[in-house]
Amino acid sequence: MCGIVGVCNLNGEPVPAGLLKRMTDIIAHRGPDGEGYYTDGPVGLGHRRLAIIDLSPAGQQPMANETGDVIITYNGEIYNFQKLRVELEALGHHFHSRTDTEVVVHAYEEWGDECLNCFNGMFAFAIWDRPRRRLFLARDRYGIKPLYWYCKNGVFLFASEIKAILEHPRVSREICYPALNEYFTFQNIFTDLTLLEGIRLLPPGCILTLDLDGMSGPKIRRYWDYPFPSEPLGLSEEECAERLYHLFVQAVTRQLVSDVPVGAYLSGGMDSGSITSIAVRHLPRLTTFTGGFDLSSVSGLELGFDERSHAEVLANLFKTEHYEVIMHAGDMEWVMPELIWHLEDLRVGQCYPNYYVARLASKFVKVVLSGAGGDELFGGYPWRYYRGLNSTEVEEYFQRYYQFWQRLVPDEDKELLFNAETYRQIGDHSAFEVFRSVFNGWSGQFHSNADYISASLYFELKTFLHGLLVVEDKLSMAHSLETRVPFLDNELVEFAVRIPVGYKLRNLERIVYMDENLPGKRWLYELKTNDGKAVLRKAMSRLIPQEITERTKQGFSAPDASWFRGESIDYINRLLRNPKAMIYEFLRPEYVSKVLDEHCSGQMNRRLLIWSLLSFEWWLRKFMVI
């Protein structure tokens, strides 16, 4: 696991080595174990190494094949690399290290662009194909590893993090207004934009190529998408559960390959508990980590947000070496500046608790297993999918589902949120059309409740999960920690999306209705339910206790609704009620004050928007002030 950068001067000028060093130095946290550079006239590659497999100097990058024709800078793990190596050796390829990086190089030599179909893992890499004078960039199927790029002012740049691209003197720092509109709608960015104009994120499952001898710019094509079928599997629920169990065991076991210590997050839920149950079979003493919260000033639903007791039950059951970090209301204030600098690409959730838990894990291990993906694959958020039930046509489904995904500010409030100039710059950019465009790759139907829920699962895999993965990469790599996600194993994913929806959700005929008295006529839904992940619960029942498999869904979130009315309110007021706050270059202070008043009075829970406003303020301070 590493950090990568690259420069291509489109005018043919040679790349200065000093520029590559500046770009890699600023992401040194991603790779404290080594650095390397390669230049070939107008092309330069840089690398920071976090050594996980083959810790010897043979694993240094950028890495070339025997003839020096194919050079790679690579970030990731290919879990089936040993099997591929045997296959490539039989085809006459010779290896000089034990790394998966070298397998990628030879796979590209042998199979060209199609090599990506062979890789089961997470990756973002760039290959300089010298004979063809061609740059080849690729990102894994699910977007576990990020890859940003920029092409303007006669230069093409790429990097694992935006801050490395900003080191180039030709890159200006300007707000991307369509991305700003997306962020304050979805608390996410569904397109390939970022908040910085001109800097883009290569979509998951995509390839970018740049032909230096051609006249055209970068070309992007998709090599993979979630293969939801037109017809589901013809298996019984018991047969699905049995097959799922074996694929899950295989996936976790496959992702334990490492030459450094491996640990696991253990939240007390089914997903992380199931991963831990498999990992302890293969590792003599697994180290596990969880985060908890001081609930002394918390009320209501948030009194159930501390899952340490459940995690301790599982840690005792599996005899892990278990560590916990307890967070208090004031901890957010202290971590925000460094957190936002590392995060840089604002996305879903209130992620400062994850930052603290990653920091804890990094003190003991270099690799940690995460349960990410289990909810999105198996229907862990039923109250979201139920909004689309009983739609009479696809447009009704889009409208109802879109209402939920306006997580921060609904369209009707945009003119109140953004100041006049920002609103003018956004112009006719439509967040709803962005939302609809996610379904362009959907190959299924829109006829039945099962179709609508499958479409919702597809949408959330492409957007919500991707946002979580981007955040997780930044937070873990901030501490030189590699996060692996066993649920996103190729064979497991391809099976999961074919499982009938009725095996995932227990109630497809739930009545959903509208409350005319709520703003925007919001659709009502159950906040908590254990309807989801039914087949996964059945498959995992042989691994973990029933009290865990049948628990009501609980996400990992701090009790910020309470804290933002209590201990944290002075900090929030200092930042957001300050008329000189940088956010007011783009937003209206009257709207922000109204949001804070609504939250503090208990009239509405605006914790997500308040967090996003705090994040945007710190983002502006860190990235728009040179």
Side-chain angles (χ1 to χ4, degrees):
M1 200 52 55
C2 311
I4 66 173
V5 306
V7 179
C8 179
N9 288 325
L10 303 181
N11 61 4
E13 292 180 0
V15 174
L19 172 61
L20 291 173
K21 179 169 175 53
R22 290 197 303 275
M23 293 175 69
T24 54
D25 281 352
I26 202 165
I27 57 170
H29 50 275
R30 296 187 70 93
D33 298 332
E35 59 186 302
Y37 314 97
Y38 168 88
T39 57
D40 181 16
V43 173
L45 306 177
H47 190 265
R48 293 293 310 209
R49 185 185 188 199
L50 181 65
I52 303 294
I53 294 174
D54 189 350
L55 311 185
S56 75
Q60 293 286 359
Q61 296 186 48
M63 182 182 290
N65 63 350
E66 301 95 323
T67 60
D69 288 341
V70 176
I71 303 94
I72 190 172
T73 182
Y74 165 81
N75 170 30
E77 301 289 355
I78 306 297
Y79 303 116
N80 62 333
F81 79 97
Q82 293 166 326
K83 179 181 178 181
L84 291 174
R85 174 173 174 148
V86 171
E87 186 175 349
L88 288 163
E89 286 175 330
L91 292 169
H93 292 265
H94 300 283
F95 291 81
H96 304 282
S97 73
R98 295 187 295 105
T99 65
D100 57 333
T101 308
E102 195 174 8
V103 170
V104 176
V105 170
H106 289 286
Y108 176 81
E109 278 190 290
E110 184 66 33
W111 299 304
D113 298 6
E114 300 305 310
C115 68
L116 296 170
N117 297 321
C118 303
F119 300 152
N120 191 344
M122 54 181 181
F123 54 82
F125 64 80
I127 287 176
W128 170 231
D129 189 331
R130 289 190 68 197
R132 299 170 66 183
R133 291 183 56 76
R134 174 185 187 246
L135 270 172
F136 175 80
L137 280 64
R139 192 165 175 223
D140 66 68
R141 296 179 174 192
Y142 318 109
I144 305 169
K145 294 288 105 183
L147 186 56
Y148 298 91
W149 65 279
Y150 172 95
C151 190
K152 197 175 179 181
N153 300 323
V155 64
F156 174 80
L157 308 168
F158 66 85
S160 297
E161 298 190 12
I162 291 171
K163 58 182 67 70
I165 292 176
L166 292 175
E167 286 297 296
H168 197 288
R170 294 186 197 171
V171 179
S172 60
R173 302 180 184 224
E174 300 173 7
I175 282 283
C176 176
Y177 288 95
L180 188 66
N181 189 30
E182 285 190 55
Y183 178 68
F184 276 106
T185 304
F186 308 120
Q187 201 195 30
N188 202 351
I189 299 176
F190 291 173
T191 61
D192 65 344
L193 301 176
T194 70
L195 287 174
L196 284 160
E197 180 66 38
I199 299 180
R200 294 176 177 265
L201 178 61
L202 184 65
C206 284
I207 295 167
L208 182 152
T209 56
L210 180 64
D211 185 351
L212 267 65
D213 290 334
M215 298 300 292
S216 60
K219 297 179 180 178
I220 296 176
R221 72 172 178 88
R222 177 165 297 283
Y223 71 87
W224 187 88
D225 203 353
Y226 289 94
F228 280 82
S230 56
E231 295 293 333
L233 284 174
L235 298 177
S236 69
E237 185 171 356
E238 289 70 23
E239 290 171 326
C240 276
E242 183 68 19
R243 176 67 175 149
L244 179 57
Y245 169 79
H246 290 290
L247 287 173
F248 178 78
V249 171
Q250 174 182 269
V252 176
T253 305
R254 183 181 277 150
Q255 295 199 16
L256 295 178
V257 58
S258 175
D259 292 333
V260 297
V262 176
Y265 292 133
L266 185 59
S267 67
M270 177 175 64
D271 297 348
S272 64
S274 299
I275 290 170
T276 298
S277 72
I278 302 302
V280 295
R281 298 179 183 180
H282 302 276
L283 301 176
R285 178 68 160 164
L286 183 69
T287 311
T288 53
F289 311 95
T290 194
F293 306 102
D294 171 22
L295 302 179
S296 58
S297 60
V298 171
S299 60
L301 290 174
E302 292 183 327
L303 286 168
F305 276 21
D306 189 350
E307 294 188 284
R308 281 178 294 156
S309 61
H310 299 290
E312 288 163 2
V313 167
L314 291 175
N316 182 61
L317 177 64
F318 299 127
K319 302 297 184 275
T320 69
E321 184 177 330
H322 190 62
Y323 295 94
E324 300 173 344
V325 58
I326 303 171
M327 285 158 274
H328 302 78
D331 291 334
M332 179 187 71
E333 174 179 353
W334 292 107
V335 80
M336 284 298 283
E338 65 183 82
L339 168 62
I340 299 302
W341 186 82
H342 281 290
L343 184 58
E344 67 176 12
D345 187 8
L346 301 184
R347 298 277 170 165
V348 296
Q350 296 167 259
C351 59
Y352 70 92
N354 308 69
Y355 187 83
Y356 277 112
V357 180
R359 187 174 72 178
L360 170 67
S362 70
K363 298 180 185 300
F364 298 91
V365 297
K366 291 180 78 170
V367 176
V368 68
L369 304 175
S370 163
D375 288 318
E376 292 76 15
L377 283 170
F378 295 100
Y381 307 103
W383 53 92
R384 302 204 301 225
Y385 324 133
Y386 287 157
R387 288 174 170 267
L389 292 186
N390 307 318
S391 295
T392 56
E393 60 179 5
V394 66
E395 287 303 319
E396 181 185 351
Y397 163 76
F398 284 150
Q399 290 291 342
R400 288 166 56 174
Y401 201 39
Y402 178 64
Q403 282 192 344
F404 173 81
W405 285 104
Q406 296 173 85
R407 284 163 63 90
L408 297 186
V409 179
D411 288 339
E412 58 265 28
D413 282 3
K414 295 286 181 62
E415 197 167 3
L416 302 175
L417 168 71
F418 296 120
N419 63 28
E421 176 58 19
T422 301
Y423 194 72
R424 185 186 71 80
Q425 290 284 353
I426 291 172
D428 60 359
H429 177 265
S430 168
F432 177 66
E433 290 306 317
V434 168
F435 168 85
R436 280 177 56 122
S437 70
V438 176
F439 295 93
N440 289 346
W442 170 246
S443 58
Q445 305 295 319
F446 286 106
H447 298 320
S448 66
N449 278 340
D451 292 338
Y452 289 126
I453 290 178
S454 290
S456 299
L457 292 173
Y458 173 83
F459 174 87
E460 299 198 16
L461 286 163
K462 299 275 286 188
T463 58
F464 188 71
L465 176 62
H466 177 237
L468 292 175
L469 294 172
V470 171
V471 170
E472 178 56 39
D473 171 85
K474 302 297 179 59
L475 301 190
S476 60
M477 293 305 288
H479 305 292
S480 307
L481 177 71
E482 173 179 304
T483 300
R484 297 180 178 180
V485 279
F487 276 106
L488 299 184
D489 171 88
N490 289 358
E491 291 184 63
L492 182 56
V493 169
E494 289 172 354
F495 180 76
V497 298
R498 297 169 63 204
I499 294 175
V501 168
Y503 297 171
K504 297 178 181 180
L505 297 171
R506 292 188 169 123
N507 188 350
L508 295 186
E509 304 304 324
R510 184 177 296 273
I511 297 174
V512 183
Y513 62 96
M514 181 185 286
D515 188 330
E516 298 282 345
N517 298 315
L518 290 176
K521 297 182 180 180
R522 300 296 180 188
W523 292 89
L524 297 184
Y525 56 96
E526 292 191 30
L527 287 176
K528 288 198 170 187
T529 173
N530 62 355
D531 283 0
K533 300 163 76 171
V535 70
L536 185 64
R537 294 174 193 271
K538 183 171 291 188
M540 299 301 106
S541 62
R542 68 177 78 180
L543 297 175
I544 52 180
Q546 184 178 6
E547 66 187 86
I548 301 296
T549 60
E550 294 302 319
R551 277 185 65 203
T552 298
K553 168 66 182 171
Q554 171 68 59
F556 179 52
S557 178
D560 287 321
S562 298
W563 286 354
F564 286 2
R565 295 186 185 100
E567 291 96 324
S568 296
I569 192 60
D570 288 343
Y571 171 70
I572 292 168
N573 284 334
R574 285 201 309 273
L575 262 68
L576 300 185
R577 293 192 192 268
N578 179 358
K580 295 183 179 179
M582 292 186 69
I583 57 173
Y584 298 128
E585 294 179 30
F586 306 94
L587 310 180
R588 296 183 185 272
E590 303 84 8
Y591 188 85
V592 174
S593 291
K594 175 176 173 287
V595 167
L596 297 180
D597 291 342
E598 288 173 344
H599 187 86
C600 291
S601 67
Q603 181 181 350
M604 296 182 71
N605 181 354
R606 306 305 295 267
R607 65 184 181 89
L608 286 182
L609 181 52
I610 293 172
W611 162 263
S612 299
L613 291 165
L614 292 170
S615 298
F616 186 46
E617 173 66 21
W618 276 111
W619 184 88
L620 290 168
R621 294 186 185 189
K622 290 295 181 180
F623 292 100
M624 298 302 286
V625 178
I626 303 176

